[in-house]
């Protein structure tokens, strides 16, 4: 029996509906290696269960997710990765230079986010409180986003010396102008703003969030599952025909250049001079 803490909960709250819940509330559901592998295993479980037609992604606690866990020791990255079965044919986790970091992020960040986006079942994110940077990489792959009235979204990576999160979906989520504003300023934006820009489908009071997500999931689950799969594939294909994949790969590689730049200047993946400003912007999701 594993001694690894369970940071992901899994249940089936209604017929044909699976719910995956981030369960690291003391750390504002920040994502370290274990969390992301456990989350991917939960998505796999729901994807492979023929009785599940719709998947909800939720989170316990005050905040949906504070993003990547910056407190995870970078020196242990290779060991942390080796404890899990890698999902993609990626090598170099224990190599020198920037190769190990790039391999890690190709697996855990863009790799997993892209994989979750393409699960052949509808997915619904139920978001409350803060959803910061890496938190966006959990909700953006979902097909529908339902947010509580107090939900706040932000990507403050430019403030810490990087051009944007690894899963660079900003332009498709909120449009070109707002994407630039979001990145250049690192400002937070509300659920109401996100809905106005087309990123959020529905806003409800926080106490109604779980019920609203379940009601939506149950309504969708009554549709023929193969038709749902085809509809999702058709819509995703429209976006991909615009060159999304090539653009995302370009942004990912620019992200790696930023890490290499910061490692050379500061021996850190991010610019430490930007951390106080980033903390002010995000309030560290307390």
């Amino acid at each position: 029996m594993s001694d690894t803490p369970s940071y992901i909960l899994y249940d089936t709250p209604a017929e044909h509906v699976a719910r995956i819940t981030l369960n690291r509330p003391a750390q504002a559901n920040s994502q370290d290696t274990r969390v992301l592998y456990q989350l991917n295993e939960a998505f796999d479980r729901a994807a492979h269960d023929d009785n599940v037609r719709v998947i909800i992604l939720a989170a316990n606690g005050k905040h949906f997710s504070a993003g990547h866990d910056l407190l995870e020791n970078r020196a242990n990255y290779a060991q942390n990765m080796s404890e899990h079965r890698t999902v993609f044919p990626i090598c170099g986790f224990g190599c020198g230079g920037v190769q190990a970091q790039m391999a890690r992020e190709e697996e855990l960040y863009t790799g997993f986010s892209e994989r979750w986006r393409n699960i052949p079942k509808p997915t619904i994110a139920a978001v409350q409180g803060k959803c910061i940077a890496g938190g966006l990489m959990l909700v953006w792959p979902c097909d529908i986003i339902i947010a509580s009235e107090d939900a706040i979204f932000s990507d403050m990576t430019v403030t810490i010396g990087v051009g944007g999160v690894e899963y660079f979906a900003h332009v498709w989520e909120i449009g070109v102008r707002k994407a630039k504003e979001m990145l250049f300023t690192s400002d937070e934006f509300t659920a109401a703003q996100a809905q106005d820009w087309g990123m959020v489908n529905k806003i409800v009071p926080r106490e109604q969030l779980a019920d609203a997500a379940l009601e939506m999931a149950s309504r969708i689950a009554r549709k023929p599952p193969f038709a749902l799969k085809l509809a999702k594939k058709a819509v995703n294909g429209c976006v991909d025909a615009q060159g999304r994949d090539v653009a995302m790969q370009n942004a990912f590689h620019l992200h790696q250049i930023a890490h290499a730049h910061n490692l050379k200047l500061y021996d850190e993946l991010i610019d430490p001079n930007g951390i106080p400003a980033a903390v002010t912007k995000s309030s560290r999701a307390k």
Side-chain angles (χ1 to χ4, degrees), residues 175-252:
V176 172
R177 301 295 178 192
K178 287 300 179 184
K180 290 178 180 177
E181 179 183 341
M182 178 187 190
L183 290 163
F184 295 170
T185 65
S186 294
D187 285 347
E188 297 176 335
F189 58 96
T190 65
Q193 289 173 304
Q195 185 179 46
D196 186 52
W197 301 338
M199 182 183 125
V200 165
N201 296 83
K202 185 175 184 179
I203 300 173
V204 296
R206 177 183 277 236
E207 63 272 16
Q208 298 176 19
L209 181 61
D211 288 341
L214 188 56
E215 188 277 330
M216 175 80 77
S218 296
R219 205 149 34 97
I220 294 171
R222 290 194 288 269
K223 305 295 190 294
F226 189 55
L228 290 171
K229 173 182 176 177
L230 296 178
K232 176 169 180 172
K233 193 172 184 66
V235 174
N236 282 1
C238 291
V239 181
D240 289 340
Q242 299 173 0
R244 183 197 68 93
D245 182 61
V246 173
M248 294 271 280
Q249 288 297 316
N250 177 65
F252 175 76

Side-chain angles (χ1 to χ4, degrees), residues 121-221:
K121 298 179 180 183
T123 53
I124 300 171
V127 184
Q128 81 278 7
K130 303 273 187 178
C131 181
I132 302 170
L136 297 169
M137 296 171 58
L138 305 184
V139 301
W140 280 349
C142 292
D143 301 307
I144 291 171
I145 299 174
I146 299 176
S148 64
E149 292 171 336
D150 66 343
I152 296 290
F153 304 89
S154 65
D155 181 0
M156 51 28 165
T157 48
V158 169
T159 298
I160 54 176
V162 184
V165 293
E166 294 87 344
Y167 186 75
F168 199 84
H170 309 65
V171 172
W172 289 275
E173 292 292 340
I174 60 176
V176 172
R177 301 295 178 192
K178 287 300 179 184
K180 290 178 180 177
E181 179 183 341
M182 178 187 190
L183 290 163
F184 295 170
T185 65
S186 294
D187 285 347
E188 297 176 335
F189 58 96
T190 65
Q193 289 173 304
Q195 185 179 46
D196 186 52
W197 301 338
M199 182 183 125
V200 165
N201 296 83
K202 185 175 184 179
I203 300 173
V204 296
R206 177 183 277 236
E207 63 272 16
Q208 298 176 19
L209 181 61
D211 288 341
L214 188 56
E215 188 277 330
M216 175 80 77
S218 296
R219 205 149 34 97
I220 294 171

Side-chain angles (χ1 to χ4, degrees), residues 13 18 38 109 117 119 137 158 164 171-173 177 234 252 269 275 281 284:
Q38 288 182 18
Y109 301 155
R117 173 194 184 256
I119 287 174
M137 296 171 58
V158 169
V171 172
W172 289 275
E173 292 292 340
R177 301 295 178 192
F252 175 76
L269 294 171
I275 291 177
K281 291 283 186 184
R284 291 298 288 171

